[in-house]
Structures are given as C-alpha cells and as structure tokens.
C-alpha cells in the first residue's frame, strides 16, 4: 500500500489522471488493474480514495470515491535545516525526514561545508521527497528549499516559533530542556560532517536559537538529522 | 577524529599494535605519523589514548598514555531486535543503531520476512558495527547476534527489564506511555517491511511486550529502527 502523487489534481476533482513514471509505477510495478481501489494525494493536503477505471503503461485514470484532509500529517510544523552533505548523504536525509513528517528541508552552506548544490541536485532531492511522501502515505509534499547561505539561514529563523540546533560542543542541555512543548513551529538545524564552528554557534545563539546535545557519541550528519527530526516530533506529540 | 578498534588489546596494555585494514586505515587514509596522539578501544569498554611510535601500512604501534572506562557509553542497555530486511537495509540499521548506542542487534525471522541470513552476512554486519563504533567514538562493540526464530525472540525477552514493540496497528500509545523511565535494560523490537501479523503481536503481548505507535505516517523499517532506538535512549536519559 502506498499513496500516489498527483500534483495536478484539484481538491474537488472527480477524476484523477496519472501519466509518466507514476502511471508506469502503478501499472507495471504495483500491477494494479481496473477496479482496484488506491490512494492518491495532491501533495497539498488532500488524500483521495480512487477506483481505477483505466490502467495503461503511460496513462492511468481513476474515479474519486472520497477525500480526506491531512489524515497523516503532523499538527506541528517541523522544518529541517541541513548543511550540505557530500554524496548520497543529503538524499538520505530528505527521504528519512520526509517519512518522519518534516514540512520543509532547507539546505545551507556553512564554514565547514564541502559539498555544492546545483539545480539538478535540488530537483533530484525533490524527487526523493516525492518517493518519501508516497511510501509514508503523507499528503503534504515537503518543500526542498533553495540552498541558502549561513546568513540566509539566520534570516529564515523569524518564520518559526523556535529554532533548535544540535551541537556536539553542548553538554548541559538535551532536546527536552530547550524545546517548548507549546510551540506550533520549529526549525531544527543540523550542521555538516565537520560540525559548526564556534563563531557559527555564537551567531545562531545571538539570533535566538537554542543549542542542545545528542549525547556523547558522535553521529554522522544523516543520523543526527533523522534523530533530531524524530525527537522534535516526539516532543511535540506528533510521533504516536 | 575517530577511535580505532583494537580487539586484542588487554585493558592494562602498555603498547597497542594494529594490523590489517586498521593499520592501512591509520597510515594511508588518516595519514597519521609517529608522534600523533589517537584513540583506540578494545570494544569491551576501555578507551586508550595512544602516542603512535611506528606507522607502517601493515603495522602501526602506539604507546598507551592513558585509559578511561566507557566515556561515551549509554548507562542503559538498549538492544534492537530487527526482523531481517532485504538488501542494504539491515546494514544501514546496524550502522545507525551502533552510532546511537545499542548494546546488541538481534536479527529475527517473522511471518512476513522475505530475506535470509547467512554466516557471511552476519560477519559483514559485524564489520559494519565496527565501523559504526569507530566513527561514533564508542568503546563497546555491539554484538550482532545469530539470527533467531520468532520463538527465539520471545525467549530472549526475559533477559531485559522490558520489551517494547513498534506496531503500526497501535494507535493509543506512544513510547512515553509504555516505556518506564526506571528500567535498566530494554529490548526494542521492529518488524519487517510488511509489518507483524496480528498473531505475532498477540504473542508478543502475551509474553509481556508493550506495543506502541510511531504515529500515522508509515516508516520504512530502517527509519523505524533508528527512530525507535533514538526514542528509547532519549526516554532513558541517554541521548543528551
């Protein structure tokens, strides 16, 4: 069971049509047949229940039986700001964070960032988010933001009730000490493999961010990112 | 910075010798030179501080400057029982769970398990655990247990103060509702991609396991495993 992404579906659609890779996936990989009941989402909050009426390799059509709004979405907005990572790292972060329930992933540059962000890479990451949405049955597609500078990251903090930063140099506070349970939105920040510089941490703190520790073991950035997202959602009551 | 695994070092060793891949890694990849100060562990709780005295591609020697016991280990024993997964899934779980701080990974078979476990695969997973230990600076190498049957899994529950099971069919309880804060050891159980059968969940419950939900979004098994380990360690105060 998964949910199929139909970005062009209108919320009041009576019929939904899939083309391209999604049609191929439904017909060839999932081997659905006319009459099968499946789920689809516009990625903007609507979940459709569909009865498939025509199944071809390049075109699949379904009739809408019912719709629900955001049945599996977290109530809180948790965005992940992740310093660029080399290789497959960032894609792994986007996939896991999407499944867990982030609203947005914001890649950013920092002093010790070695990777680069191209338009192609961003579009690939957006595809990874679609795949995460489909397997996790979500109905809101997380946005993969343009890569921002460290300044740009500080600038985006005002959009959230709170910003929390995982930092290996912190040893007094855990997530429960810094994240208020009653915020509606939180920006969770995870640095590059080499960590943040002290200057960067100072600037985050001066701008209002709260710094916390994930414990004495050193985590790869991808592990830190999924852990931070899980802990934020758990703290806010959005993870079971 | 990482910690090098020296499984044959005695706790009171004055000199530590690395061979094979570790010697190559220290000399060629990390490019250490005589005089460099590095860390090593026996994987049984001792952290050594070493000054390298000889660095060759197949043999590296260091003099012990000091030792500490379990500086980065969790105070609680959290073991992960993971149903076998296909492909790279289980290796990914072992790596992440090791970094986060598990004491042991117990692969097991279940009704909907499709993968198999060979001796070669187990030895590969033990290598993955070594790599997780080295990057996370841990001093206790998690054991990769022999793959057990579902019966075998139930049998192992008695070794732990508590067993918790992530189950998508549960919707009332989260981890904080089921995991007592004052246990010293917990067995966390995560099913295969296809989930547990109702019969399996009933048998786990009858044997004393507590079942909890990770929320309405459906997580891949690898994401569920790392999330469950993180939430257990967080709940017990071992994650920052």
């Amino acid at each position: 069971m998964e949910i199929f992404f139909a970005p062009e579906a209108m919320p009041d659609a009576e019929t939904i049509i899939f083309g391209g890779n999604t049609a191929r996936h439904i017909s060839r990989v999932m081997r659905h047949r006319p009459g099968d009941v499946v789920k689809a989402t516009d990625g903007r909050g609507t979940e459709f229940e569909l009865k498939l009426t025509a199944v071809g390799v390049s075109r699949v059509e379904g009739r809408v039986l019912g719709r629900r709004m955001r049945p599996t979405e977290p109530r809180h907005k948790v965005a992940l700001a992740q310093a660029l990572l080399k290789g497959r790292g960032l894609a792994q972060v986007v996939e896991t964070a999407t499944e867990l329930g982030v609203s947005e992933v914001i890649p950013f540059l920092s002093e010790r960032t070695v990777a680069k962000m191209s338009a192609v890479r961003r579009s690939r990451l957006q595809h990874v988010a679609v795949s995460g949405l489909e397997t996790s049955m979500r109905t809101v597609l997380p946005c993969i933001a343009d890569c921002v500078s460290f300044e740009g990251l500080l600038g985006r903090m005002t959009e959230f009730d709170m910003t929390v930063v995982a930092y290996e140099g912190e040893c007094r506070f855990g997530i429960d000490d810094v994240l208020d349970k009653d915020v509606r939105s939180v920006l969770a920040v995870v640095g590059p493999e080499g960590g943040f510089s002290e200057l960067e941490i100072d600037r985050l703190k001066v701008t209002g961010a709260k710094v916390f520790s994930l414990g004495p073991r050193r985590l790869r950035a991808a592990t830190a990112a999924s852990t931070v997202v899980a802990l934020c959602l758990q703290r806010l009551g959005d993870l079971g």
Side-chain angles (χ1 to χ4, degrees), chain A residues 81-205:
Chain A
Q82 170 66 59
L84 278 191
L85 302 173
K86 279 196 295 186
R88 274 273 306 155
L90 197 56
Q92 210 178 309
V93 166
V94 166
E95 183 170 24
T96 311
T98 300
E99 284 174 62
L100 286 167
V102 290
S103 59
E104 182 176 3
V105 178
I106 308 170
F108 68 93
L109 299 170
S110 72
E111 267 181 46
R112 298 179 193 156
T113 302
V114 287
K116 283 183 186 162
M117 183 82 164
S118 64
V120 172
R121 194 170 182 211
R122 184 179 166 208
S123 131
R124 260 192 224 130
L125 291 174
Q126 194 66 70
H127 272 94
V128 170
V130 168
S131 144
L133 167 136
E134 291 185 332
T135 55
S136 66
M137 309 291 293
R138 285 190 65 179
T139 58
V140 175
L141 180 67
C143 172
I144 309 300
D146 269 325
C147 184
V148 294
S149 64
F150 191 75
E151 300 297 319
L153 172 66
L154 299 178
R156 291 217 45 188
M157 285 172 54
T158 55
E159 297 168 36
F160 297 85
D161 288 351
M162 194 164 193
T163 298
V164 295
V165 183
Y167 180 48
E168 57 194 39
E170 171 60 45
C171 53
R172 288 162 304 168
F173 303 120
I175 186 81
D176 290 354
D177 301 312
V178 300
L179 181 55
D180 295 338
K181 271 188 159 168
D182 56 1
V183 299
R184 283 159 311 165
S185 64
V186 57
L187 177 61
V189 184
V190 175
E193 293 293 358
F196 285 115
S197 70
E198 277 182 47
L199 181 66
E200 285 172 330
I201 287 293
D202 283 345
R203 297 196 57 202
L204 282 160
K205 280 182 179 170

Side-chain angles (χ1 to χ4, degrees), chain A residues 227-240:
Chain A
T227 302
V228 166
V229 170
L231 294 183
C232 286
L233 287 164
Q234 170 69 16
R235 173 83 179 150
L236 298 174
D238 269 323
L239 206 67

